[in-house]
Amino acid sequence: MTGLRERKKQRTRRALVTAALRSFQEKGFEETTIAEIAAGAEVSARTFFSYFASKEDVIFYDGPERMRYVLDLVAGRRPGEPVAELLVRVIRASLEWAVDPGNFDLAEAAARMELMLTVPSLQARALHVLFEQQLQLAEAVERAYEGELGALEAAAMVGSLVGAVKLTAVMSLTRGDSQERVWEAITAAAEISMRGLSNV
């Protein structure tokens, strides 16, 4: 019964995300109401608030889950694994997680990216989320390499990696690259950013 209930919740959540993105593209983010999103997903506005606190939360719906996955990977660092290798492995594993049918849709990712780049409130939220995620990842890396790596070194490495990957992803998605090209570009960016850290 629990599994069935959870699958139903996932379907409702997905329906809300799909309805919201469709409405954002057709009407505009600011012009779309929560009632319209709920109607598009064939649920009540009250149900919407059971899943999301605001319209902004719909755009960033998968951030917490992906971050937990990444932090678990860092915490499970392999014995003797250099930090550069771990961080590149984290990026590759994160991409593999995204390839799962329930986690990624290229058109959806491009639509969300366009909204983040063009809607002021979403730009601000995206920067805040990015900053928070980098802090969490840097702290996790420092813990994983306790006694080997300081906080400033961990921050510099994470900043280099995340900056390279995020900017490359934005450029690749806005150019309309295929999913395979996006993945290749992100992986290459991660490897380039870590190349100078290979001896750490």
Side-chain angles (χ1 to χ4, degrees), residues 124-162:
R125 175 73 174 270
L127 288 173
H128 175 74
V129 168
L130 181 61
F131 181 68
E132 287 296 318
Q133 289 179 340
Q134 287 183 89
L135 279 177
Q136 290 180 55
L137 183 53
E139 290 168 356
V141 168
E142 183 187 7
R143 286 193 299 272
Y145 289 86
E146 187 176 2
E148 303 175 50
L149 203 64
L152 296 181
E153 292 170 300
M157 293 174 185
V158 168
S160 172
L161 175 73
V162 174

